Amino acid sequence: MDIPDYFCCKITMELMEEPVTTQAGLTYEKSALDDHLNRNGNTDPVTREPINPEAVVPNHNLKQAIDVFLHTNPWAFEFMPGETYKDIKFV
């Protein structure tokens, strides 16, 4: 089983921890999008269309789906030395 593509950020290609959605309907990891906006201005990293950073909203449904996926597939969790899947905090 693989990690579903829609759980991964289009900027970092990594599993999202704090997914946010732009007006274009695309979802990114919040910190990666913030970094992109700070470096490149207010443009969507994929569509290159202008975006309003204040209109970016948390994607709560995707966050919940990712949390359920990690809970049932602890192998997908990126371990740090000394961590176990039990260290994952589900919100």
Side-chain angles (χ1 to χ4, degrees):
M1 172 181 257
D2 291 330
I3 296 173
D5 290 341
Y6 52 91
F7 287 173
C8 297
C9 175
K10 291 172 178 43
I11 299 170
T12 65
M13 303 302 176
E14 294 179 2
L15 188 66
M16 291 184 276
E17 294 179 27
E18 192 176 355
V20 294
T21 302
T22 66
Q23 318 75 307
L26 298 173
T27 301
Y28 304 99
E29 173 62 36
K30 183 181 185 322
S31 61
L33 182 60
D34 288 345
D35 185 52
H36 168 83
L37 296 176
N38 288 332
R39 292 175 188 242
N40 303 300
N42 296 339
T43 59
D44 188 287
V46 171
T47 66
R48 303 312 236 176
E49 295 292 322
I51 62 171
N52 177 359
E54 294 178 13
V56 173
V57 295
N59 189 329
H60 298 293
N61 290 334
L62 184 58
K63 172 65 174 158
Q64 183 179 16
I66 292 169
D67 287 349
V68 169
F69 179 81
L70 286 174
H71 186 71
T72 57
N73 298 282
W75 58 264
F77 176 68
E78 197 170 297
F79 290 96
M80 300 299 283
E83 283 184 313
T84 70
Y85 79 94
K86 294 178 182 177
D87 296 321
I88 302 173
K89 291 185 174 79
F90 298 98
V91 190

